[in-house]
């Protein structure tokens, strides 16, 4: 099994910053792309940012310049630095990882989600 555990969510005022972390553990041989999605009440889950093993990142149109995704391959961890937060960034943030297990199976795994609330 593979587990993804997120941390770093919370309540912040508009204009503030938060950093989310997500550590993958378990039956991992290698990790391909890692990423962050978010889901606000009444909305579909949407991609925020994703990053390849070599560090190539891409972002949703609403966040470039405000959010930065990074990863530490040695720690199987992905980060999301969020600056200049807006109330519309309020959502549950989920990390995801495309993992190849030691049994040579590949699949997408998800964290449990962490709440980010931005007050105006």
């Amino acid at each position: 099994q593979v587990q993804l555990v997120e941390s770093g969510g919370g309540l912040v005022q508009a204009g503030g910053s938060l950093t989310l972390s997500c550590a993958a553990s378990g039956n991992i041989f290698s990790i391909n792309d890692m990423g962050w999605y978010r889901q606000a009440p009444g909305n579909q889950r949407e991609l925020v940012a994703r990053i390849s093993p070599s560090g190539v990142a891409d972002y949703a149109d609403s966040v470039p310049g405000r959010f930065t995704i990074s990863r530490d391959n040695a720690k199987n961890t992905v980060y999301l630095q969020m600056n200049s937060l807006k109330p519309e960034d309020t959502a549950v943030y989920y990390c995801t990882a495309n993992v190849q297990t030691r049994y040579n199976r590949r699949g997408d795994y998800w964290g449990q989600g962490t709440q980010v609330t931005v007050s105006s």
Side-chain angles (χ1 to χ4, degrees):
Q1 273 289 20
V2 175
Q3 299 83 35
L4 273 64
V5 179
E6 298 131 335
S7 60
L11 173 64
V12 64
Q13 288 188 332
S17 300
L18 281 175
T19 300
L20 306 183
S21 301
C22 174
S25 63
N27 183 15
I28 297 171
F29 177 75
S30 65
I31 302 178
N32 194 4
D33 285 1
M34 304 183 81
W36 290 93
Y37 283 70
R38 66 186 180 187
Q39 187 168 19
N43 291 355
Q44 290 187 335
R45 192 173 297 188
E46 62 175 4
L47 174 69
V48 176
R50 60 188 169 201
I51 185 168
S52 72
S54 62
V56 176
D58 65 277
Y59 298 89
D61 290 341
S62 58
V63 305
R66 298 191 300 121
F67 291 7
T68 302
I69 189 171
S70 61
R71 65 190 283 173
D72 184 333
N73 291 331
K75 296 181 179 180
N76 290 336
T77 299
V78 63
Y79 305 94
L80 186 68
Q81 172 69 44
M82 304 185 291
N83 299 324
S84 302
L85 283 161
K86 304 175 181 179
E88 51 264 43
D89 294 317
T90 295
V92 177
Y93 284 70
Y94 299 90
C95 75
T96 183
N98 183 261
V99 176
Q100 182 171 352
T101 70
R102 295 189 181 95
Y103 301 117
N104 204 30
R105 294 184 177 179
R106 183 172 290 281
D108 292 322
Y109 294 85
W110 293 84
Q112 79 285 358
T114 186
Q115 177 70 46
V116 171
T117 302
V118 184
S119 63
S120 57

